[in-house]
Amino acid sequence: AQSVAQPEDQVNVAEGNPLTVKCTYSVSGNPYLFWYVQYPNRGLQFLLKYITGDNLVKGSYGFEAEFNKSQTSFHLKKPSALVSDSALYFCAVRDRYNFNKFYFGSGTKLNVKP
Amino acid sequence: DVKVTQSSRYLVKRTGEKVFLECVQDMDHENMFWYRQDPGLGLRLIYFSYDVKMKEKGDIPEGYSVSREKKERFSLILESASTNQTSMYLCASSRPRTGTETQYFGPGTRLLVL
């Protein structure tokens, strides 16, 4: 079955430290990959996406993500976390050949402590 | 900036009531989506529409219907609300289907069915 996994419900990091939020997927072919962020009481906001080309994708607010085809992963990273990065992060995958299929992970709550 | 608005932020309804959730976008997007968000389950697609009067079922359409009479407006209807439909409902819109398009989300409607 097609799916997206975010293995950590919660990630805790100290401000200034690097952060990683993990995502692995199980979708046939070469899917399109997305990261969204949700701040409290808000809708989701787009962070970045991988379509093709360079495996390292840069997005909003200093975030980046690395596509690894062999490991079917698309981990979100940031070199230096801010307290304001604390939010809920969702990985999403879209089937390249079946646009109707759009899968979201269960979300990872990022807590950045001062 | 794309703006997606939802008619209510919070809604309390009784079991068996008919419930209408309204979503309006102001960017002339062809595609519109309804998701529900539940803790630990991420976002699950209920229905989407890629044109006026067109609709397709998502992963969990049971108990829901939709209406798209105008391009900017996409309504989600709970014909007879049940307690297991208590959830956060998110509307999104995007440009025509290429698979790579970003979705823009509304702020969400938190529905409680008693």
Side-chain angles (χ1 to χ4, degrees):
Chain A
Q2 319 264 47
S3 67
V4 180
Q6 292 182 242
E8 300 153 317
D9 291 336
Q10 189 165 292
V11 170
N12 299 312
V13 296
E15 189 172 33
N17 283 0
L19 69 87
T20 298
V21 182
K22 295 179 181 177
C23 172
T24 59
Y25 63 91
S26 173
V27 177
S28 59
N30 297 312
Y32 301 127
L33 303 160
F34 301 78
W35 275 101
Y36 287 84
V37 60
Q38 185 179 35
Y39 297 101
N41 300 314
R42 304 277 296 276
L44 275 68
Q45 296 177 33
F46 169 76
L47 270 181
L48 51 81
K49 62 184 176 185
Y50 173 80
I51 305 303
T52 189
D54 193 347
N55 290 344
L56 186 64
V57 178
K58 294 189 184 297
S60 306
Y61 312 121
F63 283 92
E64 57 190 29
E66 186 165 14
F67 170 60
N68 187 318
K69 187 175 180 179
S70 62
Q71 297 185 4
T72 61
S73 67
F74 189 55
H75 301 331
L76 181 70
K77 300 183 180 187
K78 187 172 182 182
S80 179
L82 299 172
V83 172
S84 57
D85 292 330
S86 299
L88 190 55
Y89 290 81
F90 289 96
C91 180
V93 176
R94 196 165 206 178
D95 191 318
R96 187 176 288 255
Y97 302 108
N98 187 354
F99 302 152
N100 298 346
K101 297 301 182 183
F102 201 71
Y103 307 95
F104 279 84
S106 55
T108 298
K109 189 168 189 294
L110 174 66
N111 296 313
V112 182
K113 300 190 177 173
Chain B
D1 262 1
V2 176
K3 193 150 188 187
V4 180
T5 56
Q6 296 183 229
S7 51
S8 305
R9 294 299 299 273
Y10 301 94
L11 215 49
V12 180
K13 296 292 181 181
R14 298 215 171 266
T15 301
E17 278 192 76
K18 191 168 186 175
V19 182
F20 293 87
L21 303 183
E22 303 282 338
C23 175
V24 177
Q25 49 95 3
D26 67 357
M27 281 302 290
D28 203 35
H29 283 169
E30 278 74 8
N31 303 331
M32 296 189 76
F33 307 80
W34 275 108
Y35 294 90
R36 64 177 281 176
Q37 180 183 4
D38 299 289
L41 296 178
L43 274 70
R44 292 179 291 167
L45 182 64
I46 304 171
Y47 268 99
F48 68 98
S49 168
Y50 53 88
D51 203 350
V52 175
K53 297 191 186 295
M54 305 300 287
K55 62 184 180 185
E56 288 195 25
K57 292 180 181 179
D59 296 318
I60 52 163
E62 298 78 19
Y64 303 94
S65 62
V66 290
S67 172
R68 189 145 180 226
E69 296 296 318
K70 292 185 177 181
K71 191 175 186 180
E72 67 270 18
R73 188 179 298 268
F74 191 36
S75 303
L76 180 69
I77 303 153
L78 287 64
E79 296 289 343
S80 177
S82 63
T83 55
N84 63 12
Q85 292 178 310
T86 290
S87 187
M88 168 75 98
Y89 290 88
L90 292 169
C91 175
S93 73
S94 71
R95 291 190 180 91
R97 301 197 279 188
T98 61
T100 64
E101 66 274 16
T102 299
Q103 293 190 8
Y104 296 87
F105 285 83
T109 295
R110 194 171 289 281
L111 173 66
L112 172 63
V113 182
L114 300 174

